[in-house]
Amino acid sequence: MRHHHAYLWLGHGDVLVRPGDAHRRPNHPEFRTAQVMPLECADWLLKPASRIAGTFYEPGDAARWYAGRLAEYGELFDGAYAVTPSYGETVRVLSAGEDRVGGWWVSGGRFLSVSLIACSPHRVRPVYGCPLRETP
């Protein structure tokens, strides 16, 4: 059954580019343990299941989680920098089996990544298995 896994990362921007970005690629030995977000959104599915912040089978529930995280971290955005997608647009995107991904530089030289990644199957990487065991 198609669903979306939620992922969140907030960290100092230097971690994203320490030197280079190899640790954000699946073929790097540190990839699975690196706390930073991967370069390709679908690669979240290759991280340990413990990184999943939530699993949603209904697009509306996932869209509420996404909007809630943006509201929760809203004070970190500098000025009007944050572009917040509408709830309806997020539901539409998720209903189509797509990902909803946002990444923003926020105060203190940090980067905030909020992601809903489609699973079972992923449109771009259908060979990626679900990081959680599927239940019938």
Side-chain angles (χ1 to χ4, degrees):
M1 173 181 233
R2 187 184 324 167
H3 55 277
H4 286 81
H5 293 302
Y7 298 92
L8 180 95
W9 182 75
L10 174 64
H12 200 277
D14 288 349
V15 177
L16 291 173
V17 292
R18 67 166 181 110
D21 57 14
H23 63 296
R24 296 175 59 202
R25 299 175 190 274
N27 62 349
H28 192 275
E30 292 178 24
F31 174 79
R32 285 187 49 79
T33 58
Q35 293 300 306
V36 68
M37 64 191 209
L39 280 175
E40 185 177 313
C41 301
D43 290 346
W44 271 119
L45 299 174
L46 301 175
K47 294 277 193 177
S50 61
R51 295 297 308 274
I52 298 170
T55 298
F56 303 98
Y57 291 89
E58 295 298 326
D61 295 338
R64 280 187 283 284
W65 178 87
Y66 193 87
R69 297 306 62 78
L70 294 181
E72 178 181 350
Y73 292 97
E75 67 187 33
L76 299 179
F77 292 104
D78 292 325
Y81 180 69
V83 176
T84 305
S86 73
Y87 171 82
E89 176 63 11
T90 298
V91 169
R92 185 198 66 73
V93 165
L94 299 177
S95 295
E98 298 177 25
D99 302 330
R100 170 58 81 194
V101 176
W104 301 270
W105 287 100
V106 295
S107 63
R110 294 174 292 173
F111 192 85
L112 173 66
S113 170
V114 182
S115 303
L116 289 164
I117 307 300
C119 189
S120 296
H122 190 275
R123 288 173 54 154
V124 176
R125 300 284 183 239
V127 297
Y128 285 6
C130 181
L132 297 177
R133 289 188 184 172
E134 304 262 346
T135 54

